[in-house]
Amino acid sequence: MKHNIAEVATLQPDYLGFVFYEKSPRYFDGEIPALPPRIKKVGVFVDEKISKVIDLCKKYALDVIQLHGNETKEYVLDLQGYLTLLYPDVLVWKAFSVDEEFDFSEIKIFENKVDAFLFDTKGKEKGGTGKTFDWEILKKYPSKKPFILSGGIGLEEVDPLRELLKTDLPIHAIDVNSRFETEPGRKDVLALTSFIELLKHD
């Protein structure tokens, strides 16, 4: 796994994510190799105790905490309080599971409490579904807050993704995962390389 992380890092992504949710097949408890400073480490948590989030933030020198559960406004405020004291440069992202019935009013209570949102495809369990949600719903996005687009994005989505990136939506990053795996947690570097090159192609 350490070698695979290092391989992916050679592609110079903006972020690398590490899942600290024990029920996930991508659960990570290994060693992160030295990464170029420009690559930010994202820790993914699901309804985790704040004390453990802080401990892992310290252990792995995380740059971003991604909350992927049912965390409340109060939880985020408590977490931000600890981060302000201990790791003031660490960002917080709040993820939402989206389908065609998603109500964007759900994000309002977090608007001024997190640094970005993440929209993933809604499924029965926490974690990737391998499927995209209907991006048409993003036309209803009511905020200027940056967001990360996630959810089953693969090589087949390059063309519609390029069109989406031409809009004025505040898309901060593209999160790719299961569609670029040879097994849970292990990335296909050649497929990722193709994706990056195709996305850049004008």
Side-chain angles (χ1 to χ4, degrees), residues 133-149:
F133 61 89
D134 185 354
W135 294 342
E136 282 292 307
I137 196 173
L138 294 173
K139 291 180 179 179
K140 300 178 182 178
Y141 185 60
S143 174
K144 299 294 184 183
K145 178 77 68 177
F147 69 83
I148 294 85
L149 181 63

Side-chain angles (χ1 to χ4, degrees), residues 1-2 4-5 8 17-19 24-28 177-178 180-188:
M1 186 64 69
K2 186 177 178 181
N4 186 238
I5 295 169
V8 174
F18 301 90
V19 178
S24 170
R26 299 177 184 86
Y27 173 64
F28 182 82
N177 198 359
S178 60
F180 290 93
E181 289 183 328
T182 56
E183 62 182 78
R186 188 173 295 278
K187 300 298 182 287
D188 183 333

Side-chain angles (χ1 to χ4, degrees), residues 184-199:
R186 188 173 295 278
K187 300 298 182 287
D188 183 333
V189 177
L190 289 177
L192 282 171
T193 302
S194 296
F195 178 77
I196 293 169
E197 291 304 314
L198 286 169
L199 202 56

Side-chain angles (χ1 to χ4, degrees), residues 18-143:
F18 301 90
V19 178
F20 299 114
Y21 178 50
E22 293 186 10
K23 294 181 180 180
S24 170
R26 299 177 184 86
Y27 173 64
F28 182 82
D29 64 351
E31 182 182 350
I32 300 176
L35 300 174
R38 71 173 299 276
I39 299 178
K40 305 303 182 185
K41 289 173 282 188
V42 181
V44 180
F45 298 91
V46 178
D47 301 318
E48 186 57 84
K49 291 180 179 178
I50 288 178
S51 59
K52 186 171 181 180
V53 174
I54 296 298
D55 286 347
L56 289 174
C57 187
K58 178 181 180 181
K59 178 179 179 180
Y60 291 107
L62 298 178
D63 300 287
V64 182
I65 292 170
Q66 179 179 316
L67 302 175
H68 221 290
N70 298 310
E71 295 88 2
T72 63
K73 175 183 70 173
E74 290 74 23
Y75 177 100
V76 175
L77 286 172
D78 286 348
L79 175 62
Q80 290 281 27
Y82 282 99
L83 291 177
T84 299
L85 291 172
L86 300 170
Y87 310 109
D89 294 328
V90 173
L91 304 180
V92 177
W93 296 348
K94 180 71 180 83
F96 293 87
S97 298
V98 175
D99 61 13
E100 63 276 5
E101 299 176 358
F102 182 72
D103 185 351
F104 279 106
S105 66
E106 292 183 29
I107 73 175
K108 288 183 179 179
I109 61 171
F110 298 99
E111 178 81 27
N112 299 316
K113 299 170 182 65
V114 299
D115 298 284
F117 298 122
L118 181 145
F119 298 125
D120 198 1
T121 306
K122 188 173 185 178
K124 292 182 179 179
E125 304 294 335
K126 298 294 183 186
T129 63
K131 298 178 181 179
T132 58
F133 61 89
D134 185 354
W135 294 342
E136 282 292 307
I137 196 173
L138 294 173
K139 291 180 179 179
K140 300 178 182 178
Y141 185 60
S143 174

